[in-house]
Amino acid sequence: MSTIPAFGLGTFRLQGQVVIDSVRNGLELGYRAIDTAQIYGNEAEVGEAIAASGVRRDDLFLTTKIWVDNYAPEKLAASLEDSLAKLRTDHVDLTLIHWPAPGNGVSVEAFMGALADAKARGLTRRIGISNFNIELTRQAIAAVGREAIATNQIELSPYL
C-alpha cells in the first residue's frame, strides 16, 4: 500500500484470541491498516490473524513500534527483525519510536539514526515517532530530516 490509510485497527491491550478475532473481524470489515507495537505483546497473534485472513500483504498497511528497551543502535534493528518474524512479514510499512525516553541513556540522534538504517536495510518502508512533544519532534527531525519522518502518531481520546 503506497499511502498511509486515514483509519486503522489498533491492537493496544488486546491479547490472545481476542486480538486474533479483532484483527480477523477488522480485515473482514475492510480495514487494511493494522497497528501494533512491541510492548503490546501481541505481534505474533496479529501476524497469525493476518496470515489466516487471505488478505494480500500488498493490500495491508502494517505499523509497529519500537519499545524503549530496544532504542540502543545495537538493539533496534534486531528487535525490528524479531517483530517482523512474529508478524510473518519481511517488512512493515511504518515503524515508529514508541515513546520519548530522554532519560534512558540513548540520544534521539542515536535511535533515529538506527531507525533510518533499518529503513535503508528494507525492514520498514517508512519511519516516524509516536507521542513526542514539540521539542523532541524537533530533535528527531534534526537527526534524520523532515522528509524522513512520516508521522508523529499521537493518541486522541476524550480522556486526554
Side-chain angles (χ1 to χ4, degrees), residues 31-51:
Y31 280 89
R32 291 300 179 259
I34 308 294
D35 180 272
T36 187
Q38 293 173 345
I39 194 66
Y40 296 175
N42 63 15
E43 289 174 317
E45 290 84 358
V46 169
E48 179 182 337
I50 290 170

Side-chain angles (χ1 to χ4, degrees), residues 48-118:
E48 179 182 337
I50 290 170
S53 74
V55 176
R56 291 178 345 122
R57 175 64 184 90
D58 289 345
D59 294 333
L60 294 175
F61 192 93
L62 189 54
T63 300
T64 196
K65 298 180 258 329
I66 306 291
W67 188 242
V68 296
D69 295 343
N70 297 316
Y71 287 2
E74 63 275 7
K75 290 183 176 181
L76 193 140
S79 78
L80 181 53
E81 288 170 340
D82 184 53
S83 292
L84 297 178
K86 291 174 183 174
L87 291 164
R88 302 182 188 192
T89 188
D90 63 348
H91 74 281
V92 287
D93 299 287
L94 177 62
T95 303
L96 304 172
I97 295 294
H98 197 151
W99 201 262
N104 79 342
V106 181
S107 70
V108 172
E109 295 78 16
F111 63 66
M112 289 307 297
L115 189 57
D117 289 345

